[in-house]
Amino acid sequence: MDIWQWYQQYERDMWESGQDYPVRLVDDFLESVVHMQYGKAEALLPEVRALKQSANNPWLEVLLGHWEMRHRLGNEAEGQTALADVVALYERAHQSDTAECPQSVCVTQDLSHCYCNVDARGWADERIAVCQETMAGIDPSWSCYQCLSDEQFDAMLDKGLYEEALTFVRGQIEKIKAAGADEDDEALRESEAEALMLLDQYDEALAIMDRLCESSNVGDNNTQARETQNIIRLQVLAHAGRDEEAWEALPAVTPHIAMRWVDVLSTLISRAPERNTWQVGRSLQQILEQRIRVGAPRDAITVAKVHIALALARNATWTARQALALAKTQLPKLRSALGDDQALTALEAQLDAQTQQVALPVSADQLMAWLSARDDSERDPEQEVEWLTLALAERPDDHPLRQLTASALQACAANEQAIRILQERVEQHPEEESEVPYQLLQLLLQNSRFSQIQRLADRFEAPLPSMACWYRIHAAQAQEDWQKAEHLCHDMLQLPGNEDKIMPHIIAGGAAMKLKTFDRALGHHLEALERIDRQQEMSPNNTIWDAITAASALQDWAQVRTLGARLGMTFSSEEGPIEENGGWIRLRFWEDNEYRFYLAQRTGPTTAIVRQPNSRDAPQHLNDRVVFEPALLNEPPQTEEEQQNFIGVYEALHVIASGGYASAWFVDGAAPEQEVFQHFVDQLEAEGCNVWITSNDDYQIVDTQADNAVLPGLYFLLSAPQSMPLQTLDALLTRLTADWPHQPHWLGLARKAGVDDTRHTAIIERYQL
């Protein structure tokens, strides 16, 4: 059964009724989940949840709920934090109006997966039971059958039933094959390989994973599946003792693969103790805190056991003790300890036996100077944290020592302790001006502790009103409340002693730019420049660029010329719009919760004209006049030869004037003679149209009605003015290509224009386009 058939019909119905937004939203969200685009998925979630409530379609509600869980349970690996939502979704999916929806079966997988994330071993029997019960009611040809088989397989591994799990997964593969769903055969092969690995049959496991990875790493395949398969292959390599290959392939860790990553790392380090460094401890601490944050206590304890053991192996007893304390908080959250309590007790005994009385290498007042004099290769934050903590206990009023202690804690990913050390001083002495509250603010911002920032701002209100305002400004910035940030900057400048402050003007100018109130932005930046020039304590260049950007958005070209002159710029004209030939750049637009890139010609310091048309379903920017942020987003190459072909990427900020083009249409077919095609382009341009060739010189097509003759091919994007009706554009193309020996097609345009598309479908079939 095709479990997507109902949704495909829903898509067609929505498109035909002109309601394309819900379809595009769902497709974008599913794509972001499958390709693990964390930021895009998070950005789309509020809209997806709103659509669930407003669509008045119970089946769509279940589908979207399931895919939200695929993101939260799979990509983010949430546990307890998602449990209530999963249970509510499960109950919703089994009501009368959704019981027949194929995705209601998928929600059973979500429930099992969530309990797995919370406590895989503790809930193993129940996970097996619910999967067996659900699979008994569906056909093996359903893709859900494979997913539930995976869930049951994982639960069997969690019980240590490796032989039984291997037999089970091979049996499921045969059932799926017998049902005629061969495409799902591959999906369970990685489970087969994992069982073989756990049974020490490495060669057979690696042969399976090599084949799977070779297939999935080609093209734009499912990123989730690809990342899973690559890390399982890496586990096999590590357990097989092929360390050099495994170290070389070790990827950056993500929540999706964190537990397998920890297994690979611990396995490899057991044979390479020289790689067991404080950086390893930092990575494991970050994973440990993430698993605690999302409510996955069993995983947290599993990571902590590795973390503590490796810390003890490198004699980092402070790190081991911090990890042990965190792990012990997770024990009461397990359904059953299953020996983890005893394992932590044994590690605690080992830690107590290994812990030695730490002594400062020099006196507390000399420690900072002594550490600074050491070679960087000798520095070890884990070791230094213990010394610094002891020294700080002796010298609690030593602000630089407190800051260095917090920095060492940060290096070890012990952010909670770093915040505590800084906040302790600030809470005790809110009237005290030092660098400590500024460092604390940065730490709180990095960890999104906005409620703490607000509470501290309230404490500062009476003794240090400027500090209180500074805290609130940065919190507003971090939460992208630009109106509030700008208003708070104005408030700060009104406080006594702040009249000549520069940073509030710079921040207010940036906030006004985000609000697209460019007149206010320019005013703030010019005020900042005036103070910079008077005080001469910082370079004015960045502020000049900011002012140029605001002036360009206002099309205040006289101001742009005046400001540009301060940076040594010269212009070919003395008045009017600035129209220089600044070469090619690439502009990055944030649209529909994702980035899109377009080639453009630079016309001024921060202005450009877009020359590349849009692709399907993307906004059109062709010939738009755009203001962009002056900071490069990509790094220029080092060599002069590479720099010749370098194209800078910049963030698009504001469209000054629209190019007036409608969305582009795809045209494909056999290439005519060059002169014929150039005449065709000239005629289209005379009508205000634009042609953007996207095929390369190697593109060929086959004429099936001429003995499969191979012909040079050509495809391009055609953009027409917004004022041109689609029927007119279709007629224009028909007339201009009438004499071509081989007709091209523009099927999408024809269908949208409502004209007969049979000619185009015949062309596609004839030339296999």
Side-chain angles (χ1 to χ4, degrees), residues 52-72:
K52 280 197 299 182
Q53 301 302 316
S54 64
N56 195 28
N57 185 322
W59 285 28
L60 185 65
E61 185 180 344
V62 171
L63 171 72
L64 292 176
H66 166 63
W67 278 91
E68 176 182 344
M69 291 307 149
R70 288 299 85 216
H71 170 64
R72 294 176 62 186

Side-chain angles (χ1 to χ4, degrees), residues 229-243:
Q229 290 168 359
N230 285 340
I231 195 68
I232 292 175
R233 180 180 183 275
L234 195 53
Q235 281 185 286
V236 177
L237 288 174
H239 284 275
R242 294 170 59 168
D243 293 13

Side-chain angles (χ1 to χ4, degrees), residues 236-522:
V236 177
L237 288 174
H239 284 275
R242 294 170 59 168
D243 293 13
E244 187 175 340
E245 293 176 70
W247 279 116
E248 186 177 339
L250 191 66
V253 65
T254 66
H256 179 61
I257 61 168
M259 299 308 295
R260 295 183 189 277
W261 191 91
V262 170
D263 174 61
V264 170
L265 185 73
S266 61
T267 302
L268 293 174
I269 284 182
S270 68
R271 296 187 292 268
E274 71 281 0
R275 291 181 181 256
N276 184 14
T277 64
W278 67 267
Q279 289 94 336
V280 166
R282 174 183 173 84
S283 296
L284 290 172
Q285 181 71 21
Q286 289 171 327
I287 296 170
L288 170 59
E289 292 188 3
Q290 191 272 340
R291 302 314 293 139
I292 291 174
R293 191 164 57 250
V294 298
R298 183 75 69 181
D299 283 356
I301 292 172
T302 300
V303 175
K305 289 189 293 186
V306 173
H307 189 17
I308 295 165
L310 290 179
L312 290 173
R314 61 180 183 272
N315 203 31
T317 54
W318 177 88
T319 298
R321 195 165 295 284
Q322 305 308 308
L324 178 64
L326 287 174
K328 290 169 82 171
T329 66
Q330 301 303 296
L331 279 173
K333 301 176 183 180
L334 298 177
R335 192 179 189 213
S336 176
L338 298 177
D340 273 342
D341 53 346
Q342 298 170 11
L344 291 181
T345 299
L347 285 168
E348 186 170 22
Q350 185 182 344
L351 175 59
D352 290 340
Q354 189 170 330
T355 300
Q356 300 174 355
Q357 186 64 38
V358 178
L360 289 173
V362 293
S363 62
D365 64 328
Q366 295 178 337
L367 181 61
M368 283 190 65
W370 183 80
L371 290 173
S372 298
R374 299 182 81 190
D375 188 89
D376 286 345
S377 62
E378 299 175 345
R379 303 291 296 267
D380 185 335
E382 285 183 319
Q383 183 184 65
E384 292 178 11
V385 159
E386 298 199 66
W387 293 335
L388 288 163
T389 305
L390 285 174
L392 187 62
E394 290 185 35
R395 299 172 58 81
D397 295 330
D398 188 333
H399 297 318
L401 182 63
R402 187 175 293 272
Q403 289 181 263
L404 183 59
T405 304
S407 296
L409 287 164
Q410 278 185 270
C412 298
N415 292 324
E416 292 296 332
Q417 294 94 320
I419 289 172
R420 193 180 308 128
I421 278 182
L422 296 173
Q423 188 161 326
E424 178 184 75
R425 184 66 189 181
V426 170
E427 293 274 12
Q428 291 172 355
H429 301 280
E431 79 290 344
E432 192 174 69
E433 288 201 62
S434 71
E435 291 297 316
V436 171
Y438 292 100
Q439 185 177 2
L440 174 59
L441 175 59
Q442 291 307 310
L443 253 175
L444 293 173
L445 289 170
Q446 290 167 17
N447 291 274
S448 301
R449 303 292 181 79
F450 300 117
S451 60
Q452 284 178 261
I453 292 173
Q454 182 59 50
R455 185 168 57 80
L456 287 168
D458 293 343
R459 287 291 304 275
F460 288 131
E461 189 68 55
L464 295 173
S466 291
M467 184 68 72
C469 208
W470 192 244
Y471 264 54
R472 292 177 181 130
I473 287 169
H474 281 275
Q477 264 192 307
Q479 296 175 92
E480 298 186 354
D481 189 341
W482 307 117
Q483 190 169 5
K484 184 177 181 180
E486 186 183 6
H487 178 73
L488 287 167
C489 286
H490 179 270
D491 289 350
M492 186 172 182
L493 288 164
Q494 305 309 305
L495 293 172
N498 289 345
E499 297 84 359
D500 288 331
K501 293 286 186 183
I502 296 170
M503 287 309 299
H505 278 298
I506 291 176
I507 294 173
M513 289 293 286
K514 294 291 187 180
L515 293 167
K516 296 189 183 297
T517 52
F518 302 117
D519 53 343
R520 294 206 307 265
L522 180 59

Side-chain angles (χ1 to χ4, degrees), residues 90-161:
Y90 182 83
E91 292 173 351
R92 178 68 185 93
H94 290 81
Q95 293 177 8
S96 58
D97 58 348
T98 55
E100 298 301 317
C101 174
Q103 277 68 36
S104 66
V105 178
C106 304
V107 176
T108 301
Q109 176 201 4
D110 296 331
L111 187 64
S112 174
H113 193 166
C114 190
Y115 278 111
C116 174
N117 286 355
V118 172
D119 185 354
R121 292 169 60 205
W123 290 99
D125 288 332
E126 288 79 4
R127 289 158 54 208
I128 291 171
V130 73
C131 289
Q132 288 178 337
E133 179 184 355
T134 306
M135 283 189 291
I138 63 176
D139 191 272
S141 64
W142 289 29
S143 56
C144 314
Y145 195 86
Q146 175 262 314
C147 297
L148 291 166
S149 298
D150 274 341
E151 290 294 327
Q152 179 173 333
F153 170 82
D154 289 341
M156 294 173 77
L157 292 191
D158 291 329
K159 287 176 62 68
L161 304 175

Side-chain angles (χ1 to χ4, degrees), residues 38 322 347 399 437 454 490 542 570 575 641 645 706 711 752:
Y38 292 91
Q322 305 308 308
L347 285 168
H399 297 318
Q454 182 59 50
H490 179 270
N542 286 341
T570 58
E575 59 183 21
E641 182 179 352
N645 296 317
L711 305 172
K752 191 69 174 179

